[in-house]
Amino acid sequence: MAADHSVAPAHWQKAFDGLMDRIAGRFARVEPRRRIRRLVLGLLSDLPRKNCWTIAEWAGEATPDGMQHLLNRAKWDADAVRDDVREYVVDHLHDEAAVLVVDETGDVKKGTRTVGVQRQYTGTAGRIENSQVAVYLVYAGERGHAAVDRELYIPRSWTGDPDRCRAAGLGEDTVFATKPELARKMIERFLDAGHHVGWVTGDEVYGGNPKLRTALEERGIGYVLAVACSAEVSTAAGKFRADALAAKVPKRAWQKLSAGRGAKGHRFYDWAVIDLTEAAPGKRQLLVRRNRTTGELAYYRCHSAELVPVSVLVKAAGSRWRVEETFQTEKGLAGLDEHQVRRYSSWTRWVTLAMLAHAFLAVVRADEHARHPGPADLIPLSCNEIQRLFITVVVQPLHTMAHRLRWSDWRRHHQERSRTSHYRRQAASQT
């Protein structure tokens, strides 16, 4: 790098080595320890498609067998690595005012054998598709944001079929859990690890669940959770739908406040807060957001141990957008949704390593912003730019023509075997 350049990617190599050392103890043998490093680098690469085949070729291996073994049969605990990711994120992105954000994302899949797949609504496609859905917990603070936990949503069509669960690596006693129940499990795991956070936020799926809200209240955690316009809340004047209550707010009660910075500046909305009188300890309120252009309204049930300024509630509500940014980066830069695995253990391993790769980018970004604010004519480094520089300047994977040709032969040979197998099965079914 030029001596006068605004960034020094050489520091990032040391940071990556430190992260790999952090999880090294989860692998008893040196071979998987080395391969996990190559797999994470492959997830951070600029490959147009990331799976065991493409990453193995990129990493210089002769076949994808080693990468597939690492995800399928090798002995290591993905949940232990998940805990390492959580500690890494909290250590480096620590913020006393951090918010936990819960949300789900779906991956469109083909077939019926991939664990958890069924026709269901996914926001990724914006419609009902054959997909796999998982719930994530994101730690969001001023320095950055990254996922710290994950749970796969297993529909009733699976939990009611023990044979199907067993074939996908799930226990035969797997019980159905709703998305809010999965969110509660992850939040409690975060708190039980000794971490503290003041607020939890999420969309209507979570805000409309009384059990989740009660669990947060019992743990002394504040929340700002979105609810539907039809949600009923109690006030001193009686019980009302959220939209009917918002219609009674006088003009002078609305405040213009920012929900946080976006790509084009602050996200300003009009906000109003209404006190509720439900009989339980703590302060309960209904927060209403109004779009300043369209007039569209959104509603949030809020709870805190004591009365807080509206700006605090607004900041917590605005943190929910961080989860969308996290999903976009994890999928676009770390291959979160590009796995081609069917069994549950393989899924947990892949998504955990994708979370690890994204956490590395988020931490490097935070450190660079703190150490090198940068000149006035450059925007701060993004995760996209850090990934691009890290792979091209620090890693620099170089492969010979012979390596490329060997992989071409391997792919074509494998594809020929698959095609022959398909033809044989088709012919057998027609006899």
Side-chain angles (χ1 to χ4, degrees), residues 293-307:
T293 302
T294 66
E296 181 182 5
L297 299 180
Y299 310 90
Y300 304 83
R301 291 188 70 128
C302 308
H303 172 267
S304 56
E306 55 187 25
L307 187 63

PDB file of all heavy atoms in Angstrom, residues 293-307:
ATOM      1  N   THR A 293     -44.167  12.252   4.663  1.00  0.00           N
ATOM      2  CA  THR A 293     -44.570  12.448   3.271  1.00  0.00           C
ATOM      3  C   THR A 293     -45.918  11.808   2.970  1.00  0.00           C
ATOM      4  O   THR A 293     -46.812  12.438   2.411  1.00  0.00           O
ATOM      5  CB  THR A 293     -43.504  11.863   2.322  1.00  0.00           C
ATOM      6  OG1 THR A 293     -42.240  12.485   2.585  1.00  0.00           O
ATOM      7  CG2 THR A 293     -43.903  12.080   0.864  1.00  0.00           C
ATOM      8  N   THR A 294     -46.077  10.547   3.372  1.00  0.00           N
ATOM      9  CA  THR A 294     -47.288   9.802   3.018  1.00  0.00           C
ATOM     10  C   THR A 294     -48.341   9.809   4.124  1.00  0.00           C
ATOM     11  O   THR A 294     -49.507   9.493   3.857  1.00  0.00           O
ATOM     12  CB  THR A 294     -46.931   8.344   2.697  1.00  0.00           C
ATOM     13  OG1 THR A 294     -46.441   7.697   3.896  1.00  0.00           O
ATOM     14  CG2 THR A 294     -45.860   8.272   1.616  1.00  0.00           C
ATOM     15  N   GLY A 295     -47.926  10.130   5.351  1.00  0.00           N
ATOM     16  CA  GLY A 295     -48.864  10.074   6.463  1.00  0.00           C
ATOM     17  C   GLY A 295     -49.098   8.676   6.996  1.00  0.00           C
ATOM     18  O   GLY A 295     -49.901   8.479   7.918  1.00  0.00           O
ATOM     19  N   GLU A 296     -48.422   7.676   6.448  1.00  0.00           N
ATOM     20  CA  GLU A 296     -48.590   6.298   6.900  1.00  0.00           C
ATOM     21  C   GLU A 296     -48.157   6.160   8.364  1.00  0.00           C
ATOM     22  O   GLU A 296     -47.147   6.728   8.781  1.00  0.00           O
ATOM     23  CB  GLU A 296     -47.762   5.357   6.029  1.00  0.00           C
ATOM     24  CG  GLU A 296     -47.889   3.895   6.402  1.00  0.00           C
ATOM     25  CD  GLU A 296     -47.017   3.001   5.544  1.00  0.00           C
ATOM     26  OE1 GLU A 296     -46.242   3.537   4.721  1.00  0.00           O
ATOM     27  OE2 GLU A 296     -47.115   1.768   5.698  1.00  0.00           O
ATOM     28  N   LEU A 297     -48.915   5.377   9.130  1.00  0.00           N
ATOM     29  CA  LEU A 297     -48.653   5.221  10.557  1.00  0.00           C
ATOM     30  C   LEU A 297     -48.094   3.831  10.867  1.00  0.00           C
ATOM     31  O   LEU A 297     -48.433   2.844  10.198  1.00  0.00           O
ATOM     32  CB  LEU A 297     -49.932   5.435  11.369  1.00  0.00           C
ATOM     33  CG  LEU A 297     -50.612   6.800  11.256  1.00  0.00           C
ATOM     34  CD1 LEU A 297     -51.862   6.835  12.119  1.00  0.00           C
ATOM     35  CD2 LEU A 297     -49.663   7.929  11.641  1.00  0.00           C
ATOM     36  N   ALA A 298     -47.243   3.764  11.879  1.00  0.00           N
ATOM     37  CA  ALA A 298     -46.750   2.497  12.424  1.00  0.00           C
ATOM     38  C   ALA A 298     -46.857   2.583  13.937  1.00  0.00           C
ATOM     39  O   ALA A 298     -46.795   3.683  14.518  1.00  0.00           O
ATOM     40  CB  ALA A 298     -45.312   2.242  11.991  1.00  0.00           C
ATOM     41  N   TYR A 299     -47.010   1.415  14.584  1.00  0.00           N
ATOM     42  CA  TYR A 299     -47.316   1.399  16.012  1.00  0.00           C
ATOM     43  C   TYR A 299     -46.349   0.481  16.761  1.00  0.00           C
ATOM     44  O   TYR A 299     -45.955  -0.576  16.251  1.00  0.00           O
ATOM     45  CB  TYR A 299     -48.754   0.910  16.230  1.00  0.00           C
ATOM     46  CG  TYR A 299     -49.757   1.623  15.363  1.00  0.00           C
ATOM     47  CD1 TYR A 299     -50.082   1.142  14.093  1.00  0.00           C
ATOM     48  CD2 TYR A 299     -50.368   2.801  15.791  1.00  0.00           C
ATOM     49  CE1 TYR A 299     -50.990   1.799  13.283  1.00  0.00           C
ATOM     50  CE2 TYR A 299     -51.285   3.468  14.989  1.00  0.00           C
ATOM     51  CZ  TYR A 299     -51.590   2.963  13.732  1.00  0.00           C
ATOM     52  OH  TYR A 299     -52.482   3.616  12.936  1.00  0.00           O
ATOM     53  N   TYR A 300     -46.003   0.888  17.991  1.00  0.00           N
ATOM     54  CA  TYR A 300     -45.064   0.124  18.808  1.00  0.00           C
ATOM     55  C   TYR A 300     -45.566   0.050  20.249  1.00  0.00           C
ATOM     56  O   TYR A 300     -45.907   1.082  20.835  1.00  0.00           O
ATOM     57  CB  TYR A 300     -43.677   0.780  18.822  1.00  0.00           C
ATOM     58  CG  TYR A 300     -43.060   0.993  17.465  1.00  0.00           C
ATOM     59  CD1 TYR A 300     -43.388   2.114  16.699  1.00  0.00           C
ATOM     60  CD2 TYR A 300     -42.139   0.089  16.943  1.00  0.00           C
ATOM     61  CE1 TYR A 300     -42.819   2.315  15.453  1.00  0.00           C
ATOM     62  CE2 TYR A 300     -41.566   0.284  15.700  1.00  0.00           C
ATOM     63  CZ  TYR A 300     -41.914   1.407  14.960  1.00  0.00           C
ATOM     64  OH  TYR A 300     -41.341   1.608  13.733  1.00  0.00           O
ATOM     65  N   ARG A 301     -45.588  -1.145  20.803  1.00  0.00           N
ATOM     66  CA  ARG A 301     -45.825  -1.297  22.238  1.00  0.00           C
ATOM     67  C   ARG A 301     -44.484  -1.141  22.941  1.00  0.00           C
ATOM     68  O   ARG A 301     -43.494  -1.771  22.552  1.00  0.00           O
ATOM     69  CB  ARG A 301     -46.420  -2.663  22.550  1.00  0.00           C
ATOM     70  CG  ARG A 301     -47.836  -2.842  22.037  1.00  0.00           C
ATOM     71  CD  ARG A 301     -48.424  -4.139  22.555  1.00  0.00           C
ATOM     72  NE  ARG A 301     -48.681  -4.038  23.999  1.00  0.00           N
ATOM     73  CZ  ARG A 301     -49.854  -4.328  24.562  1.00  0.00           C
ATOM     74  NH1 ARG A 301     -50.886  -4.694  23.805  1.00  0.00           N
ATOM     75  NH2 ARG A 301     -50.009  -4.239  25.852  1.00  0.00           N
ATOM     76  N   CYS A 302     -44.462  -0.329  23.977  1.00  0.00           N
ATOM     77  CA  CYS A 302     -43.224  -0.022  24.687  1.00  0.00           C
ATOM     78  C   CYS A 302     -43.359  -0.354  26.165  1.00  0.00           C
ATOM     79  O   CYS A 302     -44.439  -0.190  26.757  1.00  0.00           O
ATOM     80  CB  CYS A 302     -42.856   1.458  24.535  1.00  0.00           C
ATOM     81  SG  CYS A 302     -42.819   2.051  22.831  1.00  0.00           S
ATOM     82  N   HIS A 303     -42.274  -0.779  26.730  1.00  0.00           N
ATOM     83  CA  HIS A 303     -42.229  -1.005  28.180  1.00  0.00           C
ATOM     84  C   HIS A 303     -40.838  -0.637  28.693  1.00  0.00           C
ATOM     85  O   HIS A 303     -39.831  -0.933  28.048  1.00  0.00           O
ATOM     86  CB  HIS A 303     -42.509  -2.472  28.525  1.00  0.00           C
ATOM     87  CG  HIS A 303     -42.289  -2.780  29.980  1.00  0.00           C
ATOM     88  ND1 HIS A 303     -41.087  -3.265  30.459  1.00  0.00           N
ATOM     89  CD2 HIS A 303     -43.104  -2.650  31.062  1.00  0.00           C
ATOM     90  CE1 HIS A 303     -41.173  -3.424  31.778  1.00  0.00           C
ATOM     91  NE2 HIS A 303     -42.380  -3.059  32.159  1.00  0.00           N
ATOM     92  N   SER A 304     -40.797   0.023  29.836  1.00  0.00           N
ATOM     93  CA  SER A 304     -39.526   0.346  30.488  1.00  0.00           C
ATOM     94  C   SER A 304     -39.754   0.345  31.993  1.00  0.00           C
ATOM     95  O   SER A 304     -40.885   0.530  32.465  1.00  0.00           O
ATOM     96  CB  SER A 304     -39.001   1.713  30.029  1.00  0.00           C
ATOM     97  OG  SER A 304     -39.969   2.722  30.254  1.00  0.00           O
ATOM     98  N   ALA A 305     -38.686   0.125  32.737  1.00  0.00           N
ATOM     99  CA  ALA A 305     -38.808   0.079  34.194  1.00  0.00           C
ATOM    100  C   ALA A 305     -39.219   1.426  34.755  1.00  0.00           C
ATOM    101  O   ALA A 305     -39.895   1.502  35.783  1.00  0.00           O
ATOM    102  CB  ALA A 305     -37.483  -0.373  34.804  1.00  0.00           C
ATOM    103  N   GLU A 306     -38.834   2.481  34.090  1.00  0.00           N
ATOM    104  CA  GLU A 306     -39.206   3.828  34.520  1.00  0.00           C
ATOM    105  C   GLU A 306     -39.421   4.700  33.294  1.00  0.00           C
ATOM    106  O   GLU A 306     -39.041   4.329  32.181  1.00  0.00           O
ATOM    107  CB  GLU A 306     -38.116   4.432  35.405  1.00  0.00           C
ATOM    108  CG  GLU A 306     -36.741   4.453  34.759  1.00  0.00           C
ATOM    109  CD  GLU A 306     -35.652   4.894  35.716  1.00  0.00           C
ATOM    110  OE1 GLU A 306     -35.836   4.735  36.946  1.00  0.00           O
ATOM    111  OE2 GLU A 306     -34.626   5.388  35.237  1.00  0.00           O
ATOM    112  N   LEU A 307     -40.025   5.838  33.478  1.00  0.00           N
ATOM    113  CA  LEU A 307     -40.340   6.724  32.363  1.00  0.00           C
ATOM    114  C   LEU A 307     -39.057   7.207  31.690  1.00  0.00           C
ATOM    115  O   LEU A 307     -38.108   7.624  32.358  1.00  0.00           O
ATOM    116  CB  LEU A 307     -41.140   7.929  32.859  1.00  0.00           C
ATOM    117  CG  LEU A 307     -41.682   8.871  31.787  1.00  0.00           C
ATOM    118  CD1 LEU A 307     -42.680   8.147  30.894  1.00  0.00           C
ATOM    119  CD2 LEU A 307     -42.334  10.094  32.449  1.00  0.00           C
TER     120      LEU A 307
END
